[in-house]
Amino acid sequence: MRSVAVVGASLAGLWAARALREQGFDGRLTLIGAEPHRPYDRPPLSKEFLAGTMTEADLALEDAGEDLGAEWRLGVPAAGLTPRGSAGYAVTLGDGTSVAADGVVIATGATARSLPWNLPGVHTLRTLDDARALRADLVPGRRLVVVGAGFVGAEVAATAHSLGLDVTIVEIAPAPSARALGSRMGHALAGLHEDRGVRVLCGVAVRAVTGGDRVDGVLLDDGRSLPADVVLAGIGASPAVGWLAGSGVDLCGDSGDPGGSSGGSGGGVRCDAGGATNLPGVVAVGDCAAWYDPGLGRHHRVEHWTGAVRRPETAARTLLSGGAAEPGAPEPPYLWSDQYGLRVQFAGHAGPADEVTVEEGDVDARSFLAVYRRDGRATAVLAVDRVRPFGRWRRRIEPAGAR
């Protein structure tokens, strides 16, 4: 293999390029990115960058003086992937050019889901350009409605409140992050907002966003109307895999398995436990990749920073070995969030039937550690403002399916 194209020049793509070089690949390396920006860190976009305490320069992921010896094709999205037999692959770009490569790393990430009402003042938050636009609209005294109480929506709500906006969160589920954390712990996270005067409306859907030249309100299914000067859609993201249509790369259904059968989390590129796709010389990493998890017994997308950093090492080894590399042991997913000066951390796989016990602290005091158990074993841990004990409990989590 003398040439590799990394399609996607964000976190997972950069770490994949680094891993290839660290593992001895000295051939032609091309990084292709739809955005015009060099790789940058996304988690601060909803917090420090939005609050104005972090600059664009602070977001840079590349080390000072780092040189991967790569060709960068930025500001142009991938439009197609064509197998060329023994000649490898051709990656077609949106400007009509193409990049030939013996191997391909798919790292195109995900795109934010948007509301069907496109009015000035209605935002999504996924990219640096999104964050620039949203930051300009977060003027003290304005009324912000956040649709979706996942971690991104919650972080924006917390940041906007600190900037002096009037904030309301609307969530269709019975509690924030109820699918991932369960209703009890979801309500506990809702308390972080309610304690500070942020309204959290759960169990209700958005019927419409209203306005003429600019958004002026959000109409709910129960008939309530919320005045709004700014609206953020924090309703998740979809894997950016449309450009792979006709390529022969296997994709998962919306539920994570082919055809949308049960299990999984939202489609993506179907990979084995080492990141290999069904096409030789093609691997996938990051938010667009649904790796097979032996413990869960299904394919699963991990849309978190740690997965985008750690999995590229395995995928690079798989690519350079021709798919013969031994995948590493599966690691429970880990994510964190900063809200109102508190660190919220979660690791593992929580199920709807899991028993949840508060091991330390007090939920009402907004400082606690809760453990999820299934058949007597710890499967997940959630902590608010309990960083050190969380680290200890995280190491005690058993991989899914272990006994």
Side-chain angles (χ1 to χ4, degrees), residues 236-313:
S238 300
V241 295
W243 67 281
L244 293 169
S247 67
V249 173
D250 280 350
L251 303 178
C252 292
D254 285 344
S255 62
D257 290 328
S261 57
S262 62
S265 69
V269 178
R270 180 182 171 91
C271 304
D272 66 14
T277 71
N278 62 304
L279 297 185
V282 179
V283 298
V285 293
D287 292 358
C288 68
W291 284 32
Y292 182 75
D293 187 316
L296 293 175
R298 55 178 168 82
H299 293 80
H300 181 71
R301 283 197 308 122
V302 176
E303 296 181 81
H304 307 307
W305 195 92
T306 47
V309 167
R310 295 182 180 178
R311 283 183 165 180
E313 180 181 357

Side-chain angles (χ1 to χ4, degrees), residues 178-380:
R179 181 178 178 185
L181 306 179
S183 290
R184 179 188 174 195
M185 291 296 104
H187 284 299
L189 295 189
L192 300 180
H193 304 281
E194 294 167 336
D195 290 348
R196 293 160 176 83
V198 172
R199 293 175 295 280
V200 183
L201 308 179
C202 293
V204 61
V206 171
R207 180 183 299 174
V209 171
T210 61
D213 295 334
R214 183 180 173 86
V215 61
D216 62 18
V218 174
L219 180 63
L220 305 182
D221 263 353
D222 61 8
R224 283 179 289 180
S225 181
L226 307 176
D229 305 299
V230 188
V231 173
L232 172 75
I235 52 178
S238 300
V241 295
W243 67 281
L244 293 169
S247 67
V249 173
D250 280 350
L251 303 178
C252 292
D254 285 344
S255 62
D257 290 328
S261 57
S262 62
S265 69
V269 178
R270 180 182 171 91
C271 304
D272 66 14
T277 71
N278 62 304
L279 297 185
V282 179
V283 298
V285 293
D287 292 358
C288 68
W291 284 32
Y292 182 75
D293 187 316
L296 293 175
R298 55 178 168 82
H299 293 80
H300 181 71
R301 283 197 308 122
V302 176
E303 296 181 81
H304 307 307
W305 195 92
T306 47
V309 167
R310 295 182 180 178
R311 283 183 165 180
E313 180 181 357
T314 299
R317 190 165 61 246
T318 297
L319 183 63
L320 297 178
S321 67
E326 187 70 23
E331 183 178 357
Y334 165 64
L335 59 94
W336 77 94
S337 176
D338 294 315
Q339 302 172 33
Y340 305 105
L342 301 175
R343 173 60 59 95
V344 180
Q345 296 168 284
F346 179 81
H349 293 282
D354 288 358
E355 178 188 7
V356 184
T357 58
V358 176
E359 302 287 335
E360 296 189 24
D362 183 356
V363 170
D364 292 335
R366 315 307 181 203
S367 177
F368 65 92
L369 182 143
V371 177
Y372 296 72
R373 290 184 175 87
R374 191 177 313 147
D375 299 327
R377 62 185 179 88
T379 57

Side-chain angles (χ1 to χ4, degrees), residues 3-219:
S3 59
V4 174
V6 179
V7 188
S10 192
L11 182 68
L14 176 62
W15 255 255
R18 286 173 170 169
L20 287 166
R21 291 304 194 206
E22 290 168 359
Q23 294 178 28
F25 176 71
D26 59 1
R28 179 168 56 86
L29 182 61
T30 307
L31 279 87
I32 300 164
E35 294 184 62
H37 314 293
R38 301 287 289 199
Y40 60 88
D41 207 15
R42 294 187 193 275
L45 295 181
S46 55
K47 302 183 288 290
E48 297 93 340
F49 181 79
L50 210 57
T53 60
M54 182 176 284
T55 68
E56 293 185 17
D58 296 327
L59 300 175
L61 287 173
E62 295 170 274
D63 298 329
E66 181 176 10
D67 184 5
L68 292 170
E71 176 188 358
W72 294 79
R73 301 289 299 274
L74 300 178
V76 56
L81 177 66
T82 304
R84 302 175 64 182
S86 60
Y89 299 89
V91 180
T92 305
L93 307 184
D95 61 4
T97 63
S98 65
V99 174
D102 299 322
V104 175
V105 179
I106 300 172
T108 41
T111 57
R113 297 190 182 104
S114 59
L115 296 170
W117 304 280
N118 185 22
L119 287 171
V122 178
H123 297 266
T124 58
L125 181 57
R126 180 76 184 183
T127 69
L128 176 57
D129 292 337
D130 291 339
R132 288 170 174 168
L134 179 59
R135 184 166 70 174
D137 257 357
L138 295 185
V139 177
R142 280 185 169 177
R143 300 159 299 183
L144 168 68
V145 173
V146 177
V147 182
F151 276 10
V152 170
E155 289 169 357
V156 171
T159 302
H161 176 268
S162 73
L163 293 174
L165 281 81
D166 178 84
V167 182
T168 301
I169 300 172
V170 178
E171 170 58 54
I172 193 171
S177 300
R179 181 178 178 185
L181 306 179
S183 290
R184 179 188 174 195
M185 291 296 104
H187 284 299
L189 295 189
L192 300 180
H193 304 281
E194 294 167 336
D195 290 348
R196 293 160 176 83
V198 172
R199 293 175 295 280
V200 183
L201 308 179
C202 293
V204 61
V206 171
R207 180 183 299 174
V209 171
T210 61
D213 295 334
R214 183 180 173 86
V215 61
D216 62 18
V218 174
L219 180 63

